[in-house]
Amino acid sequence: MTDKPLLVIRPLRDGDAFLTLLSNADIPYRHIPIMTIRSLADSQSEQITNLINRLDQFAYAIFISANAAEIGLPLVAKHWPKLPETIEFLAVGQQTGQLFSDHGYAVCCPTRQPNTEGLLNELPQLQDLNGKSVIIFRGGEGRQTLGAQLATRGAKGEYCNLYQRLIEPLKVAEAQAFMGQASCLIAHSGELLQGLGRGGESHIPVIVPSARIAEQARQGGYTDIQIADNALPQSMFDAVQCIRQRG
């Protein structure tokens, strides 16, 4: 692969470990965040507070992303200085799970698949949920897979929407214009791929974190697709190295 830069389109985040790995390896990249994360903690504070105040009514609280944990955990700590003894925290993966230690909370995460499918397949707590209530902290208008699957296992589930994902049209245009100069596109989610659109450069390699998102990439016209083991920084970085080693 040439020294043309990678194009990374994920939202901005403090201390982005993936970008740090790229920088430490002297791999050139251009970060054009086409999506922003907007907290709903102010605009929907009443709905969110009402759900958090009922935390003692749930057996499990699932945090579906790092954004959900970053926004939701301080609210939980504010309203529950002492956690209900009945609640158990679950997180989508170890990267999200690390945020719980800042509050002194125990958490259980899948280890092989840090995603919704990992939660459903790996965690014994979620296999038989007859008569149990589950609250899912997430971004609004996310996938319905988790709640639907938990319902088939007997759970009564409720969503607590903590943030919105907003596509930024000006950033999309900037990213599309840059694709012709990029060696590879890094798409951490299907929503990012959908938000970017085709941009006229679908022949460039694209790195995605799962087979599900790879299929979205194929449907979007991409033909050169590298699937990382998962969306964790090291796994996405390893997939970058695989692409670069092809020459």
Side-chain angles (χ1 to χ4, degrees), residues 10-216:
R10 70 185 298 175
L12 284 169
R13 58 177 59 192
D14 293 335
D16 191 311
F18 175 66
L19 298 185
T20 298
L21 287 170
L22 295 179
S23 296
N24 289 344
D26 293 323
I27 297 175
Y29 67 87
R30 175 82 176 274
H31 184 202
I32 304 176
I34 67 167
M35 177 187 289
T36 57
I37 303 298
R38 178 178 296 172
S39 172
L40 298 175
D42 293 328
S43 62
Q44 296 188 19
S45 60
E46 183 177 353
Q47 298 96 310
I48 293 171
T49 297
N50 287 341
L51 282 167
I52 290 177
N53 281 339
R54 294 171 45 219
L55 204 61
D56 57 347
Q57 300 176 18
F58 298 95
Y60 301 110
I62 302 175
F63 289 76
I64 205 66
S65 68
N67 290 314
E70 288 171 351
I71 297 169
L73 290 177
L75 297 173
V76 169
K78 175 183 176 181
H79 292 277
W80 291 92
K82 178 177 172 55
L83 284 180
E85 295 182 0
T86 55
I87 194 75
E88 182 174 356
F89 287 143
L90 310 176
V92 72
Q94 295 174 359
Q95 188 174 21
T96 301
Q98 289 172 0
L99 298 170
F100 287 72
S101 62
D102 295 339
H103 297 275
Y105 297 152
V107 65
C108 186
C109 313
T111 56
R112 295 188 297 273
Q113 288 181 285
N115 53 30
T116 295
E117 288 71 24
L119 282 167
L120 291 167
N121 296 333
E122 294 183 37
L123 299 192
Q125 300 96 317
L126 299 183
Q127 303 312 306
D128 182 3
L129 293 166
N130 190 36
K132 295 183 178 179
S133 294
V134 179
I135 183 168
I136 301 170
F137 292 93
R138 65 168 192 170
E141 300 180 359
R143 294 170 64 200
Q144 305 298 318
T145 304
L146 182 59
Q149 286 296 315
L150 295 180
T152 67
R153 300 176 185 187
K156 177 183 177 183
E158 294 189 51
Y159 288 111
C160 182
N161 296 324
L162 293 172
Y163 60 91
Q164 287 179 305
R165 306 171 188 85
L166 302 176
I167 296 296
E168 301 290 343
L170 292 179
K171 289 294 185 181
V172 169
E174 182 182 351
Q176 289 177 344
F178 187 77
M179 284 180 72
Q181 306 170 49
S183 61
C184 180
L185 171 66
I186 313 296
H188 281 79
S189 73
E191 287 176 298
L192 289 170
L193 270 180
Q194 184 177 359
L196 180 63
R198 300 189 61 162
E201 298 289 344
S202 55
H203 62 280
I204 73 169
V206 57
I207 295 175
V208 298
S210 71
R212 177 180 62 83
I213 298 172
E215 181 56 32
Q216 288 183 254

